């Protein structure tokens, strides 16, 4: 709750102009509770960046390289609809917050994508000439810039479309032809994948509830 | 002189923390002189962004698509070595300066690149399937993000290399095969092109001097 409030304040005002007072108002917690968990504004910002990294998730696909595309399209979707992602994106872009370790999220993203590409390459989906580290960093860097551009021109409305253009231009030099023909890069994919992930998470919650809480359910009418 | 001073201050402190006092010190001009030309800090920032756009220059090449690559590699080089470019880049990236029209430089760059690609396509260098506007905007957006990433990790030292990776991954989906084989995308190209442009500019200055100022040269010892 605190992190979502902090992220929304960072998204709106940026790090420098964000105030603890505004975060307290939005979170609806006391000053003491906030300072107990996060002694400074910088701690809050780092926690938001960290939470964003934890938030990377893709559903397993038959083609590993599809998960690379999916990770991008889900993030593009969530950057429009998720407070943590929006706040973290602004923190990561702001150069004025030099003291913050904004390299953290870029590094984490690069490593995550590199891992996906490495596995795809081991399966024979990626061409031998591809340097997976370089390609992963190209993706992360290009994504950050496309996000910034999309924010400036359409408040991120066209980010999924811009990402599709990126994939259409780069996948032919990444995927072997047989795989390339099967990849789905359409801009609507992010919304579908996010819905699937949420259904999946809801199902898991129900299962846990069923396992752990039969007594709880018994008291229901 | 004023713009170079302003750009260096924007580069170092960002728009919000840049002060007129620091710009005055670096420019070595009086407050009156500065306010005469630029009534506000915002005017200075817009002038820096405008100057950067004017500064786009590539030497004509036999292959038009080479000029697209060259424009990127020269900019990557100048972002490390030119005060105006560094200051403008920081202003363009900062989200906290929402009131500044940072779309200006992205739009100007997109149109410039779109023009190059359009001409290249008319000459048969670009594949028919390419939407030149989309590709131009992909380049500008990706460039901005790669620049940000390079700044964060290596203070822009590896920007030319990152740009080479971008071109290696995208040109095969832009250029027709016969042209693709001839394009030079190596990261050293920016420095060479910048030196050529400067030699060319110096030669033009000499010619103008020879035409306009024979009397001036006569008084030289």
């Amino acid at each position: 709750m605190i992190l979502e409030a902090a992220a929304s304040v960072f998204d709106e005002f940026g790090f420098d102009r964000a105030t603890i007072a505004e975060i307290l108002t939005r979170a609806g917690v006391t000053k003491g509770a906030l300072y107990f968990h996060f002694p400074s504004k910088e701690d809050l910002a780092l926690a938001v960046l960290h939470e964003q990294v934890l938030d990377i998730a893709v559903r397993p696909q038959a083609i590993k390289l599809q998960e690379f595309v999916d990770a991008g399209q889900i993030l593009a979707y969530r950057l429009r609809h998720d407070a943590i992602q929006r706040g973290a994106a602004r923190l990561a872009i702001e150069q004025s917050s030099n003291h913050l370790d904004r390299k953290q999220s870029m590094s984490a993203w690069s490593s995550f994508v590199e891992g996906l590409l490495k596995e795809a390459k081991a399966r024979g989906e990626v061409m031998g000439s591809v340097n997976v580290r370089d390609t992963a960093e190209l993706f992360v860097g290009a994504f950050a810039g496309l996000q910034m551009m999309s924010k400036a021109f359409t408040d991120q409305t066209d980010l999924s479309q811009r990402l599709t253009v990126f994939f259409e231009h780069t996948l032919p030099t990444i995927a072997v032809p047989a795989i390339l023909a099967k990849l789905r890069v359409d801009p609507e994919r992010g919304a579908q994948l996010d819905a699937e992930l949420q259904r999946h998470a809801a199902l898991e919650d129900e299962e846990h509830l069923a396992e752990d809480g039969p007594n709880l359910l018994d008291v229901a009418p």
Side-chain angles (χ1 to χ4, degrees), chain A:
Chain A
M1 208 165 54
I2 292 174
L3 285 186
E4 288 211 358
S8 78
V9 173
F10 288 136
D11 176 40
E12 194 172 334
F13 299 99
F15 181 80
D16 287 339
R17 292 179 188 168
T19 63
I20 297 288
E22 182 63 27
I23 294 170
L24 287 173
T25 307
R26 295 194 189 181
V29 299
T30 64
K31 216 168 186 168
L34 186 130
Y35 281 116
F36 178 76
H37 295 289
F38 307 102
S40 72
K41 193 166 77 169
E42 197 160 308
D43 289 314
L44 276 165
L46 284 172
V48 167
L49 286 169
H50 186 65
E51 184 73 14
Q52 175 214 20
V53 173
L54 289 180
D55 213 25
I56 304 173
V58 278
R59 299 272 292 148
Q61 303 289 331
I63 299 174
K64 201 72 194 167
L65 209 46
Q66 183 68 55
E67 294 178 27
F68 163 58
V69 177
D70 290 357
Q73 289 292 14
I74 291 178
L75 180 58
Y77 179 80
R78 292 193 171 169
L79 278 169
R80 291 184 62 195
H81 300 93
D82 182 290
I84 297 285
Q85 293 293 349
R86 291 181 65 99
R90 172 140 188 193
L91 288 172
I93 282 173
E94 279 187 351
Q95 267 206 328
S96 50
S97 309
N98 277 327
H99 47 297
L100 270 177
D101 192 10
R102 64 197 182 79
K103 289 187 253 181
Q104 179 189 298
S105 65
M106 280 189 151
S107 291
W109 256 96
S110 297
S111 298
F112 176 79
V113 171
E114 186 186 358
L116 285 178
L117 291 176
K118 225 178 230 168
E119 213 179 314
K121 197 172 183 179
R123 293 188 189 184
E125 296 172 7
V126 168
M127 288 192 280
S129 57
V130 172
N131 177 323
V132 291
R133 181 75 201 169
D134 282 355
T135 304
E137 292 191 4
L138 169 65
F139 169 74
V140 172
F143 188 100
L146 292 172
Q147 193 255 325
M148 196 165 72
M149 197 169 180
S150 177
K151 179 110 187 165
F153 285 94
T154 65
D155 198 22
Q156 302 198 126
T157 307
D158 66 3
L159 180 54
S160 305
Q161 179 54 42
R162 287 182 188 276
L163 204 56
T164 295
V165 172
F166 172 83
F167 284 126
E168 285 173 345
H169 265 303
T170 55
L171 285 173
T173 60
I174 298 172
V176 299
I179 294 294
L180 181 64
K182 291 184 186 164
L183 293 173
R184 291 194 45 201
V185 299
D186 58 286
E188 287 72 35
R189 197 160 167 83
Q192 294 157 9
L193 291 164
D194 186 68
E196 268 176 41
L197 278 165
Q198 300 221 8
R199 263 199 308 279
H200 191 75
L203 277 176
E204 277 193 337
D205 282 352
E206 272 178 35
E207 278 165 23
H208 284 156
L209 218 59
E211 282 167 19
D212 306 341
N215 297 336
L216 250 172
L217 289 174
D218 286 346
V219 296

